[in-house]
């Protein structure tokens, strides 16, 4: 990922994205450079118009407006859990009369 970040940094600075420049950026950041990754990235970016790619990515619609089904399911599960907890609390609550009756039976 740092190789892509380095390439984006070079692009933002208006510098040519080539092996030499990218290697300098990575080394300045303290990253040990893998020559194979460096060559692969620079070769793959030769024919790419980065400004065009960024513009397309910025105009893509975001589906975040619609709630995710998993999020809805999680909300429903939490509601169910709360209902279950309330039912259990009610079951655990024993009236004073029941306690007195139980004690009366023990001590006769």
């Amino acid at each position: 990922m740092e190789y892509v970040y380095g390439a984006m940094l070079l692009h933002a600075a208006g510098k040519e994205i080539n092996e030499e420049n990218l290697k300098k950026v990575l080394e300045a950041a303290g990253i040990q450079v893998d020559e194979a990754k460096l060559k692969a990235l620079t070769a793959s970016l030769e024919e790419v118009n980065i400004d065009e790619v960024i513009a397309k990515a910025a105009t893509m619609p975001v589906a975040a407006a619609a709630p995710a089904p998993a999020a809805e399911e999680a909300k429903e599960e939490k509601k169910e859990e709360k209902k279950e907890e309330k039912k259990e609390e009610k079951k655990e609550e024993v009236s004073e009369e029941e306690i007195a009756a139980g004690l009366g039976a023990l001590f006769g």
Side-chain angles (χ1 to χ4, degrees):
M1 195 53 92
E2 53 272 341
Y3 291 81
V4 175
Y5 291 147
M8 294 302 295
L9 182 62
L10 287 170
H11 174 74
K15 304 289 183 182
E16 182 182 355
I17 301 172
N18 58 30
E19 290 178 37
E20 181 182 338
N21 290 345
L22 186 54
K23 185 174 182 176
K24 287 179 186 177
V25 169
L26 295 172
E27 287 176 344
I31 298 168
Q32 188 174 359
V33 179
D34 180 352
E35 294 293 329
K37 287 183 182 179
L38 185 71
K39 289 180 182 187
L41 180 65
T42 54
S44 65
L45 290 177
E46 284 179 358
E47 301 296 322
V48 176
N49 182 342
I50 295 174
D51 290 321
E52 186 178 305
V53 172
I54 292 172
K56 282 183 182 178
T59 60
M60 293 184 80
V62 178
E72 288 297 320
E73 288 176 13
K75 286 181 184 178
E76 290 299 320
E77 286 178 9
K78 285 182 182 180
K79 286 180 184 177
E80 290 297 322
E81 288 175 6
K82 287 181 182 178
K83 287 180 184 178
E84 293 290 326
E85 287 174 7
K86 287 181 181 178
K87 287 179 184 178
E88 288 176 14
E89 286 176 8
K90 288 181 182 178
K91 288 180 184 176
E92 290 176 6
E93 292 178 10
V94 179
S95 70
E96 289 180 24
E97 294 172 356
E98 291 174 332
I99 293 172
L103 289 174
L106 281 174
F107 298 108

